[in-house]
Amino acid sequence: MRYRTLWISDVHLGRPGCQAELLADFLRRHDCERLYLVGDIIDGWKLHQSWYWPQAHANVVREILSKAEAGTAVHYITGNHDEFLRRYVDHAMHFGNISIANEAIHHTADGRRLLVLHGDAFDMITRYFRRIAIAGDAAYQTLLRANVVINRVRARFDKPHWSLSAYAKHQVKRAVNFVSAFEDAVARDCRRRQLDGVICGHIHHAEIRRIHGVQYYNCGDWVESCTALAEDMNGRIEILRWAELHEGAENSAKVTPLKPPQRAAQKP
């Protein structure tokens, strides 16, 4: 598949929960003119605690570098987990076709101007209460570890993958209110800047909807949902849910073909 633009966010390379194998496969199967890495691609918080960098994570970096070498413009937008890169933004550093920035303005094929940023600036806990944010991140990791055990049991009974943390986000009132407040704040800032829409990440929840007269897009993540945003050559943007698409492709390849109909036995 070839797209005009792809956006991915919240990969968290360096963290055990990262779905690096799926992401590397996604990058191999999709080409684009522009690739936006919308923050939290590398998990500096986790790597600072303990080093974790298996081959699968290195493969993701290799796929990104291969795209840049082939001519894809790669825009690395910094997030809170890879905030260590923000010290280099003022130097306007470029590595071949790879640039680093805190935000960018993307011009779609149909003439719209979209603000691209990670979104942590609109999360008051991450911005002003770092210790609480780190504690919350630790709790999130506990849910992810529990999720692994739950899905091993579900797999034995041929049940599909289910995300405990995603369920909690949609059911716990405080989490629902947080997501709603985040989306509202991002959209209002975009409208203040007189832009047509915003593309962000941070909350690990892929979404496309209209808020306060602007188009709101969220990339999702590559820890639970394995989602990306894609712009076609006409400017239309959609969510690609790669875990579902990949599973469907794998299952379809394993379907046993129908046997050719047997000829009826001839009567004597």
Side-chain angles (χ1 to χ4, degrees):
M1 295 293 295
R2 181 168 181 80
Y3 290 94
R4 184 173 185 266
T5 314
L6 289 173
W7 293 267
I8 60 175
S9 74
D10 297 275
V11 177
H12 293 277
L13 294 172
R15 184 182 289 267
C18 168
Q19 300 292 333
E21 294 87 354
L22 280 174
L23 179 54
D25 183 62
F26 173 84
L27 293 171
R28 280 192 295 268
R29 294 172 183 259
H30 295 80
D31 290 326
C32 56
E33 297 174 5
R34 300 166 192 79
L35 173 63
Y36 285 90
L37 307 175
V38 194
D40 286 4
I41 305 303
I42 300 173
D43 197 323
W45 289 13
K46 186 63 177 178
L47 289 174
H48 181 72
Q49 297 171 3
S50 61
W51 184 259
Y52 179 80
W53 197 266
Q55 184 60 46
H57 292 210
N59 291 342
V60 171
V61 176
R62 181 182 300 170
E63 292 297 329
I64 294 171
L65 294 177
S66 296
K67 287 190 179 302
E69 185 177 359
T72 297
V74 179
H75 305 277
Y76 196 122
I77 307 299
T78 62
N80 52 301
H81 281 262
D82 45 22
E83 60 189 355
F84 62 90
L85 292 172
R86 288 175 174 168
R87 70 187 70 173
Y88 304 111
V89 168
D90 293 336
H91 300 287
M93 298 186 71
H94 290 260
F95 304 91
N97 283 331
I98 302 176
S99 61
I100 302 175
N102 291 331
E103 62 179 47
I105 302 295
H106 174 73
H107 297 262
T108 63
D110 55 5
R112 292 176 295 151
R113 295 184 304 147
L114 304 180
L115 174 65
V116 184
L117 77 173
H118 182 63
D120 58 294
F122 300 93
D123 180 349
M124 295 301 102
I125 294 177
T126 299
R127 189 171 181 181
Y128 297 111
F129 304 98
R130 183 179 177 87
R131 291 185 179 179
I132 297 177
I134 293 175
D137 184 64
Y140 176 63
Q141 290 308 304
T142 300
L143 286 178
L144 290 178
R145 286 192 292 270
N147 211 48
V148 172
V149 177
I150 291 171
N151 280 291
R152 283 177 182 171
V153 175
R154 289 175 63 86
R156 291 182 181 180
F157 294 93
D158 294 325
K159 297 290 185 180
H161 180 83
W162 180 74
S163 175
L164 173 62
S165 53
Y167 175 82
K169 287 179 186 176
H170 288 86
Q171 298 298 323
V172 179
K173 185 176 181 180
R174 288 184 179 180
V176 173
N177 290 341
F178 167 79
V179 171
S180 178
F182 172 85
E183 294 173 342
D184 184 78
V186 173
R188 286 183 182 277
D189 185 70
C190 182
R191 184 177 182 181
R192 178 184 62 81
R193 300 195 197 190
Q194 298 182 337
L195 297 170
D196 300 300
V198 58
I199 294 179
C200 61
H202 188 59
I203 59 173
H204 294 211
H205 179 61
E207 185 78 83
I208 296 179
R209 67 190 186 98
R210 199 157 186 84
I211 308 174
H212 301 306
V214 301
Q215 198 68 34
Y216 170 86
Y217 302 92
N218 195 295
C219 306
D221 70 284
W222 287 86
V223 177
E224 302 170 77
S225 58
C226 299
T227 54
L229 293 172
E231 177 195 8
D232 66 19
M233 298 304 172
N234 297 316
R236 178 179 174 272
I237 299 176
E238 63 177 328
I239 298 174
L240 302 180
R241 302 185 184 277
W242 187 240
E244 299 174 9
L245 293 171
H246 185 270
E247 183 179 359
E250 291 294 316
N251 289 339
S252 64
K254 297 176 182 177
V255 173
T256 303
L258 295 174
K259 295 181 179 180
Q262 296 181 350
R263 294 182 180 180
Q266 294 181 355
K267 295 181 179 181

